[in-house]
């Protein structure tokens, strides 16, 4: 007899969110290709599709938070286990657009005294301290 698929809402939501994140990553590549090709109609359609996936992801996160609240667990990141926080942060990062991600990366670079430059289409990190010593 075949094994039945686990249809517990927690499991279904986690699988669905994993699928949504994978689809968003695929769309990100498709958007980059459409932008490079100059296909503005395709770019517009892909962005609408990405927005719909983000809405689904946000709804999934909200549903998970609601289930946690009903179960008596707080959705506050300070009260979460490291794995729960990582999952929440991954969902947040996946839902961010490029402008928001640039802000997060910029803050991380500032805190770690790093500078991010794109040279020939490749990102390069350098230490701010090294740059100060070279510049005088």
């Amino acid at each position: 007899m075949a094994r039945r698929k686990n249809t517990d809402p927690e499991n279904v939501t986690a699988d669905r969110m994993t699928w949504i994140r994978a689809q968003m990553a695929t769309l990100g590549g498709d958007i980059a290709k459409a932008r490079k090709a100059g296909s503005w109609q395709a770019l517009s359609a892909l962005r609408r599709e990405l927005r719909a996936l983000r809405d689904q992801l946000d709804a999934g996160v909200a549903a998970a938070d609601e289930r946690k609240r009903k179960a008596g667990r707080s959705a506050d990141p300070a009260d979460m286990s490291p794995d729960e926080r990582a999952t929440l942060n991954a969902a947040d990062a996946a839902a961010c657009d490029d402008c928001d991600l640039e802000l997060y990366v910029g803050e991380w670079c500032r805190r770690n005294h790093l500078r991010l430059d794109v040279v020939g289409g490749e990102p390069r990190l350098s230490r701010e301290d090294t740059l100060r010593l070279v510049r005088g």
Side-chain angles (χ1 to χ4, degrees), residues 28-58:
D30 293 345
I31 286 172
K33 288 176 188 174
R35 184 179 294 136
K36 189 174 183 179
S39 178
W40 303 114
Q41 280 186 315
L43 187 61
S44 179
L46 290 168
R47 284 183 174 160
R48 279 193 303 272
E49 193 172 337
L50 183 62
R51 199 173 10 238
L53 286 172
R54 281 186 189 142
D55 291 344
Q56 290 178 29
L57 187 65
D58 290 344

Side-chain angles (χ1 to χ4, degrees), residues 43-102:
L43 187 61
S44 179
L46 290 168
R47 284 183 174 160
R48 279 193 303 272
E49 193 172 337
L50 183 62
R51 199 173 10 238
L53 286 172
R54 281 186 189 142
D55 291 344
Q56 290 178 29
L57 187 65
D58 290 344
V61 170
D65 289 346
E66 182 64 21
R67 277 195 307 279
K68 287 177 184 178
R69 188 187 62 74
K70 285 182 179 178
R73 293 186 345 206
S74 172
D76 182 17
D79 297 335
M80 292 181 176
S81 71
D83 288 340
E84 289 173 329
R85 264 185 88 172
T87 301
L88 181 68
N89 288 337
D92 183 46
C96 288
D97 61 12
D98 288 347
C99 293
D100 292 337
L101 288 175
E102 284 180 32

Side-chain angles (χ1 to χ4, degrees), residues 94-119:
C96 288
D97 61 12
D98 288 347
C99 293
D100 292 337
L101 288 175
E102 284 180 32
L103 293 173
Y104 283 111
V105 170
E107 177 61 21
W108 179 80
C109 287
R110 187 191 63 74
R111 289 182 186 182
N112 291 288
H113 306 287
L114 296 171
R115 179 175 166 177
L116 177 64
D117 295 309
V118 178
V119 179

Side-chain angles (χ1 to χ4, degrees), residues 18-40:
T18 301
W19 179 83
I20 289 171
R21 285 188 199 103
Q23 292 299 309
M24 289 175 75
T26 302
L27 275 176
D30 293 345
I31 286 172
K33 288 176 188 174
R35 184 179 294 136
K36 189 174 183 179
S39 178
W40 303 114

